[in-house]
Amino acid sequence: MAILEIKNVTKQFGGLTALNDVSFQVEEGEIRGLIGPNGAGKSTMFKNIAGFYTPTSGNIVYRGENIEGKPPHTISEMGIVRTFQETTLFQEMTVFENALVGSHIKGRTDIFSAVLGLDQKKQEAASEKVMEVLDFMGLSDRKDQYASELPLGSQRALALSIALVSEPKIMLMDEPFAGMNPEETNHMMDLTRKVQESGITLVLVEHDMKAVMGLCHHLTVLNFGVVLAQGTPEDIRNNEKVIEAYLGGA
Amino acid sequence: MNKKNILTVQNVVWAAILLAALLATPHFLKFYHQDLLIYLTINVLVVCSYRLVTLTGEWSLIHAVMMGVGAYTASLLFIHFGLDMWFTLPFAGGAAALIAALLCFPLLRMTQFYFLIGSFAAGEAIRLTWIEFVGVFGGTGGLRGVEAPILWGIDFIDPIPYYYLSLFIVSVCLFILYRIENSRVGLTLHAIHWKAPLAESVGVNAWRYRALAFIVGSFFVGLAGGLKVHYLGSVSPNQMGIGFMVFILIWVIVGGYNKFYGPIIGVIVLTVFDESIRTFEVLRPAIYGAVLILSVLFLPLGLESIPGRLRSWFGVGSTPHEPPLTDQ
């Protein structure tokens, strides 16, 4: 059963149509790749799903419920969490504190409990969850370092950890492999698979074809805001329209 | 969040010495300086409550006016209903918090520079209300005749008892503010400051937290306003204008706003400094201005960063981590 359904989503910015009648479905538990040339509307799609944009028309259905137009914090509370392009982290905080922010939904507290220390149990549980995720992502040795001091690969792993701590059902990953060397890419692919195996559905926007083809169960190809093709990596690799879009038609 | 045990012998000894110094200070001062000491104590609460507002990265220009809201509330309750300070203080804070809560709806639609200007405009609107509604707020002359309470035969109009009283109240408030900053609420406020979209992507309602910081900060500065008016005896619109607001900003920036104790250092050092150059009457603004420019130029992270810098210059201990100044 589809956990996330995109139904005829159109997004216009003034006269520019960034997404035009886009529809696709994401199955529970899969890794879905969203690919396409620059400017195809991949990131715009993500922002619509995560609530940072509201679609001009069309519906986004998550587990049978319309979510288009809801604010980002509500959507993440429902279980759809996005990660950002490049390294968007709380650079001035430690690794542990970064991940701890991710436990906001379960760990949040009111100001009186905070002052009186009534939320101690809850905060301890949150800290445990954070340590569990940092262990899982291989970051527990670095938990007291500042995020800005980490190498690129670890920064991406931390970005993933922040999202994971919030215990999402669907994770939207925006170019997690950008700028990585082959070794870092392989490590990140392993981590991504581990996340999927833990039962989280992943939607991936990515340019790194090796990673996309190696990881994704299904691909959706966007070009100029419309869906060009859908299918398994094997189908897509041999799809002439896709080849044309990427390499330029004769 | 911090699991470090703070009740070590060393810390207890330091705390005891600090307390003794704070309690002994007024006995070594002249009457006039005892007054200043009380205002300084209250201003410590003003800067610390302001710091809470700035934690989300939004700097407001309405804080001084919020102090005025507290002072006017306390004055009106005292003058018209004869309420003692014990009862007016919660209302003073509450009124400032209430007005802040209402202002959240227009003001927090804006961020950064627009919020700064918006908060200034809102503050001026409140100040003009005090000036124009002469019957209620006494116009430019403000309200006078507010008195300090008497309890168990202690007349708090005397500076020393009033100093002890404000020291106690301010300490309790600082403790609460410190707890907030070091709780998950504080962590979330920091997170919103550094990367609001990332915080929102894991479920943080940034608007609500900005509002919370603004309301709680206003509550404590309103309370400070009440505390001040019961000693000073009067409140006027000009006392709480942009002039005082600029002083709050200077104290916070010169002290350093990255740490909880930075603004406290700022307000204490600058107040003492201001007093010590009183003899150079004519040159005073020039000296003051020069010191400000120098400190901002050479100590962008504030006086609070001096010990860390000294340590790294002399190679003692490890270099402390200084977070970058930029927001993004």
Side-chain angles (χ1 to χ4, degrees):
Chain A
M1 200 209 107
I3 187 167
L4 184 70
E5 289 175 78
I6 313 297
K7 291 181 177 170
N8 311 100
V9 167
T10 296
K11 176 69 187 174
Q12 291 170 326
F13 297 100
L16 179 82
T17 305
L19 293 172
N20 190 3
D21 201 24
V22 172
S23 301
F24 64 91
Q25 297 190 345
V26 179
E27 303 299 320
E28 186 152 13
E30 74 166 333
I31 302 183
R32 163 63 62 118
L34 202 55
I35 62 171
N38 286 328
K42 308 179 297 289
S43 290
T44 308
M45 190 68 245
F46 259 29
K47 285 177 181 163
N48 278 291
I49 300 173
F52 286 78
Y53 291 160
T54 303
T56 311
S57 67
N59 302 101
I60 298 169
V61 183
Y62 168 64
R63 295 181 152 182
E65 195 180 337
N66 278 350
I67 59 163
E68 74 275 358
K70 288 193 196 301
H73 62 88
T74 308
I75 288 179
S76 46
E77 206 166 319
M78 295 172 81
I80 304 180
V81 173
R82 67 171 288 199
T83 66
F84 292 78
Q85 264 177 29
E86 294 168 1
T87 45
T88 298
L89 292 170
F90 306 111
Q91 302 283 357
E92 300 76 6
M93 296 186 182
T94 64
V95 168
F96 182 80
E97 287 168 338
N98 264 277
L100 195 58
V101 176
S103 66
H104 179 79
I105 291 162
K106 287 208 168 150
R108 69 180 149 204
T109 178
D110 63 280
I111 204 154
F112 299 102
S113 322
V115 170
L116 299 171
L118 300 176
D119 59 340
Q120 207 173 354
K121 274 231 172 78
K122 205 193 236 178
Q123 300 311 333
E124 277 166 12
S127 298
E128 266 172 40
K129 174 75 194 169
V130 166
M131 282 318 294
E132 192 187 304
V133 170
L134 290 182
D135 268 336
F136 182 76
M137 301 299 283
L139 283 172
S140 42
D141 302 341
R142 295 178 176 270
K143 74 182 178 72
D144 294 322
Q145 279 183 357
Y146 283 88
S148 53
E149 294 167 356
L150 297 180
L152 181 70
S154 303
Q155 292 205 355
R156 293 278 167 78
L158 178 56
L160 216 52
S161 309
I162 298 173
L164 274 183
V165 170
S166 72
E167 302 180 42
K169 298 289 181 294
I170 301 182
M171 231 159 91
L172 309 171
M173 298 168 72
D174 204 348
E175 302 196 10
F177 299 97
M180 285 187 162
N181 63 33
E183 193 185 330
E184 286 170 331
T185 301
N186 280 333
H187 182 60
M188 194 67 191
M189 282 175 76
D190 289 342
L191 287 178
T192 310
R193 257 189 221 105
K194 266 169 79 178
V195 171
Q196 184 253 334
E197 279 158 15
S198 72
I200 296 170
T201 308
L202 294 173
V203 185
L204 207 68
V205 162
E206 187 50 66
H207 282 297
D208 187 322
M209 281 305 138
K210 178 180 166 251
V212 168
M213 294 297 170
L215 277 173
C216 298
H217 303 114
H218 294 98
L219 294 175
T220 299
V221 188
L222 288 177
N223 192 26
F224 295 115
V226 296
V227 177
L228 194 66
Q230 301 208 52
T232 61
E234 201 55 37
D235 297 339
I236 297 297
R237 211 193 299 263
N238 301 321
N239 186 311
E240 296 209 344
K241 280 198 280 185
V242 175
I243 296 171
E244 196 178 308
Y246 267 93
L247 301 178
Chain B
M1 296 300 118
N2 218 326
K3 286 277 154 63
K4 268 182 283 179
N5 185 12
I6 53 162
L7 279 177
T8 59
V9 179
Q10 203 185 5
N11 282 347
V12 170
V13 169
W14 279 115
I17 292 172
L18 180 68
L19 184 66
L22 285 173
L23 291 179
T25 310
H27 297 282
F28 297 102
L29 296 174
K30 283 180 288 215
F31 191 76
Y32 164 74
H33 283 130
Q34 290 175 338
D35 273 5
L36 269 185
L37 185 65
I38 291 169
Y39 301 139
L40 173 59
T41 310
I42 294 168
N43 285 341
V44 166
L45 181 55
V46 173
V47 290
C48 285
S49 58
Y50 188 60
R51 187 182 138 74
L52 185 73
V53 178
T54 64
L55 276 189
T56 58
E58 304 297 345
W59 291 61
S60 89
L61 289 179
I62 202 177
H63 211 60
V65 174
M66 285 299 179
M67 185 176 184
V69 170
Y72 271 96
T73 308
S75 305
L76 290 171
L77 288 174
F78 180 86
I79 293 167
H80 296 297
F81 302 100
L83 285 185
D84 261 342
M85 194 184 87
W86 321 117
F87 303 104
T88 63
L89 279 193
F91 284 107
L98 182 68
I99 290 188
L102 294 175
L103 284 176
C104 279
F105 292 97
L107 287 185
L108 291 180
R109 298 177 66 91
M110 301 174 272
T111 56
Q112 310 283 313
F113 186 69
Y114 302 95
F115 175 74
L116 191 81
I117 296 302
S119 64
F120 172 68
E124 283 305 290
I126 294 173
R127 248 165 43 80
L128 284 174
T129 312
W130 296 335
I131 294 172
E132 297 300 326
F133 288 80
V134 181
V136 188
F137 299 110
T140 40
L143 298 169
R144 42 190 77 248
V146 186
E147 287 163 21
I150 299 174
L151 185 71
W152 302 318
I154 304 168
D155 189 346
F156 282 96
I157 192 66
D158 290 330
I160 292 184
Y162 204 86
Y163 166 70
Y164 287 156
L165 179 66
S166 7
L167 189 64
F168 174 73
I169 294 174
V170 170
S171 304
V172 171
C173 293
L174 288 196
F175 175 74
I176 294 172
L177 286 168
Y178 182 82
R179 289 281 296 182
I180 292 173
E181 189 179 333
N182 286 278
S183 72
R184 171 172 283 276
V185 176
L187 178 79
T188 310
L189 294 177
H190 277 293
I192 290 168
H193 179 187
W194 296 120
K195 277 273 143 62
L198 179 55
E200 286 183 319
S201 80
V202 285
V204 174
N205 185 340
W207 191 91
R208 278 186 56 179
Y209 276 86
R210 287 198 177 109
L212 182 75
F214 186 51
I215 293 168
V216 175
S218 297
F219 174 86
F220 283 106
V221 82
L223 200 144
L227 196 57
K228 185 164 184 181
V229 78
H230 276 278
Y231 185 73
L232 188 62
S234 66
V235 56
S236 69
N238 286 337
Q239 207 184 322
M240 303 301 182
I242 193 69
F244 183 58
M245 188 64 232
V246 169
F247 270 101
I248 298 177
L249 288 171
I250 290 172
W251 289 328
V252 172
I253 292 170
V254 170
Y257 49 84
N258 274 328
K259 296 239 166 63
F260 184 81
Y261 52 82
I264 305 179
I265 295 174
V267 65
I268 293 174
V269 169
L270 285 182
T271 304
V272 172
F273 176 73
D274 194 39
E275 265 316 290
S276 62
I277 57 170
R278 186 169 281 275
T279 43
F280 308 102
E281 196 52 50
V282 194
L283 287 173
R284 202 161 146 224
I287 299 175
Y288 208 80
V291 167
L292 287 181
I293 293 173
L294 288 177
S295 74
V296 172
L297 269 181
F298 296 107
L299 282 171
L301 292 172
L303 296 169
E304 161 262 296
S305 65
I306 289 180
R309 287 197 165 203
L310 287 180
R311 253 190 313 243
S312 60
W313 278 343
F314 294 111
V316 184
S318 60
T319 315
H321 178 84
E322 285 177 359
L325 274 173
T326 50
D327 276 12
Q328 293 304 316

